[in-house]
Amino acid sequence: MPESAASDASASDPDPDPASASAASEPGPADPPSGPSASLGPSASLGPSVEGEAGTWPAPVRRPTGRDVARLAGVSQATVSLVFSGAEAGRRVSDATRERVREAARSLGYRPQAAGRQLRLGRSGMILLAVPNILGPFFGRVLEGVHEEAGRHGLAVVVSSGWGSATLAEAATTSRFDGLLICSPDDSQLGELPADTPVVFLDADPGTDRARPTVELDVAGGMRAAVEHLAGLGHRRIGRLRSTHSAYTFRVRQAAFEQVAAELDLEVVELGVSLNEGQPAARSVAHRLLERPDRPRAVICDDDVVASGVYQAAAELGLRVPADLSVVGMDNVAVAALLAPPLTTVDLPGEELGRVGAAALAGLLRGERAAPVPPLATSLVLRSSTAPAVGAPGRGAKP
């Protein structure tokens, strides 16, 4: 039985969106029937044809309206408006009814009018995801999670890189974006932001702005697991290719590496590499590491792209992974499983990071107070790029 308007919205419900009201009040003889039957059959999707010099073209199709969605979902137009408004009042609609309305909208191809909504709410419906390097595959994972969660809240996502503190401050002071997600910021990219701008930091220092929520990753735990894995295989001398960027996430990784290496009394050979310069820079630095007469037989990298550069350098030097060199990465992006052999790496849950951050930002936009989020768990993904050290049990005598 269709649900009555009274069960979802009170008599004081806001008016439906302007596009819905206009389309509903101005029917025309050429309009196809509204409701579920409007989407059935080619005759419903194609209007009358008009002849032109280039051939026969279909007439423009009437866009589905909020009234069509309401009829299909069995609710009032006011309820449809509440569901797509993103406003605090939208929480008066039950989860089941919200999902029924959204399913009806999907089946009809309905899209709420952004301009009308912006006028009503004073919002653009867009959020900015700022990442340090838009080509970095890990940030693709983050964007996937942000996009998925933002869609649930009726928000569109714009992603940008190459930004600085002044650029972000400008974005925060315009009406272009309702809120900002700032991911893995370099120290130089942080600056003062307007206090009234909703902002959530991802993979960042929780002390950056204690008035705003931060979603962290347990990168320290992931690094510890990586070092302990190699030490457990008998490796006592470990190479380390660390990021040269001055970002909190890389400082935490380095501190964790140094701590566990000291605890296990490991010898370390360390070189810096610019992650933004990608595999070519990693390959060049890896050559320097592996051409040493006392080269290490295990390497830990700050991300999987750097690890792929180590693979390339090793192959060019006639070294086999893992027989001659064990390699561990960090991030667990798609390339990790495609390398030969597949790469052992620390999984940083980028999609979850994006989802949790977008949910927190949507809460801020609704006027909710952000609750602290514990660091998201990381895990070591064991594949085929690591093996016991020469001289360790099962591998024969040390040369």
Side-chain angles (χ1 to χ4, degrees):
M1 179 179 293
E3 188 166 345
S4 67
S7 65
D8 293 314
S10 67
S12 61
D13 283 340
D15 291 334
D17 64 39
S20 299
S22 172
S25 62
E26 298 177 8
D31 287 345
S34 61
S37 63
S39 62
L40 301 178
S43 61
S45 61
L46 298 177
S49 296
V50 289
E51 293 292 334
E53 291 182 4
T56 301
W57 299 90
V61 179
R62 182 178 71 87
R63 294 179 59 180
T65 68
R67 181 180 181 182
D68 298 327
V69 175
R71 183 177 301 169
L72 182 58
V75 298
S76 68
Q77 284 184 259
T79 296
V80 173
S81 289
L82 285 175
V83 169
F84 289 104
S85 69
E88 182 75 12
R91 294 197 295 172
R92 303 203 317 255
V93 182
S94 69
D95 290 343
T97 300
R98 257 199 311 270
E99 182 54 34
R100 193 163 73 248
V101 169
R102 291 190 183 279
E103 178 58 34
R106 284 192 292 269
S107 68
L108 293 173
Y110 170 75
R111 294 291 184 272
Q113 289 291 317
R117 182 172 58 187
Q118 182 176 358
L119 288 173
R120 281 199 313 278
L121 303 176
R123 295 180 182 171
S124 68
M126 294 192 299
I127 59 174
L128 173 66
L129 170 63
V131 301
N133 179 8
I134 201 169
L135 298 179
F138 173 72
F139 300 115
R141 295 184 61 188
V142 176
L143 175 59
E144 182 178 341
V146 170
H147 181 75
E148 177 185 324
E149 184 64 25
R152 294 183 62 249
H153 300 278
L155 297 169
V157 183
V158 175
V159 62
S160 172
S161 67
W163 43 269
S165 56
T167 309
L168 277 185
E170 180 183 357
T173 54
T174 68
S175 59
R176 195 178 316 162
F177 303 107
D178 296 338
L180 278 61
L181 289 168
I182 302 177
C183 185
S184 308
D186 186 287
D187 295 347
S188 66
Q189 296 168 323
L190 294 173
E192 187 172 348
L193 295 169
D196 60 348
T197 301
V199 177
V200 174
F201 293 96
L202 309 178
D203 188 29
D205 185 350
T208 299
D209 188 339
R210 296 193 180 278
R212 289 178 162 116
T214 297
V215 185
E216 285 188 88
L217 297 166
D218 183 19
V219 291
M223 181 61 76
R224 172 173 287 274
V227 178
E228 289 178 344
H229 168 64
L230 290 177
L233 292 173
H235 293 283
R236 311 303 302 167
R237 193 163 188 274
I238 295 179
R240 165 96 170 110
L241 295 187
R242 59 170 179 79
S243 169
T244 57
H245 297 299
S246 60
Y248 171 78
T249 184
F250 298 118
R251 289 197 295 273
V252 171
R253 297 174 201 200
Q254 182 66 13
F257 176 84
E258 291 176 357
Q259 180 179 354
V260 69
E263 291 173 2
L264 298 175
D265 194 26
L266 302 177
E267 185 181 352
V268 176
V269 182
E270 182 177 293
L271 293 174
V273 60
S274 173
L275 301 191
N276 283 347
E277 294 178 25
Q279 189 189 46
R283 171 179 165 272
S284 175
V285 174
H287 262 281
R288 288 165 46 201
L289 178 69
L290 300 180
E291 286 171 345
R292 296 169 59 111
D294 59 345
R295 67 172 174 82
R297 296 181 180 272
V299 181
I300 291 181
C301 307
D302 254 350
D303 77 0
D304 294 343
V305 175
V306 172
S308 71
V310 173
Y311 271 53
Q312 187 176 7
E316 291 167 351
L317 294 171
L319 301 175
R320 298 163 299 162
V321 177
D324 302 311
L325 180 69
S326 289
V327 184
V328 178
M330 183 170 282
D331 283 350
N332 195 29
V333 296
V335 70
L338 299 176
L339 291 171
L343 176 67
T344 291
T345 186
V346 176
D347 180 57
L348 303 185
E351 295 86 355
E352 184 182 3
L353 179 69
R355 283 192 296 268
V356 173
L361 184 57
L364 294 181
L365 295 177
R366 291 193 298 268
E368 299 172 0
R369 194 169 204 167
V373 179
L376 303 182
T378 59
S379 59
L380 183 66
V381 180
L382 295 176
R383 296 195 178 101
S384 308
S385 65
T386 57
V390 174
R395 287 302 302 266
K398 185 174 181 179

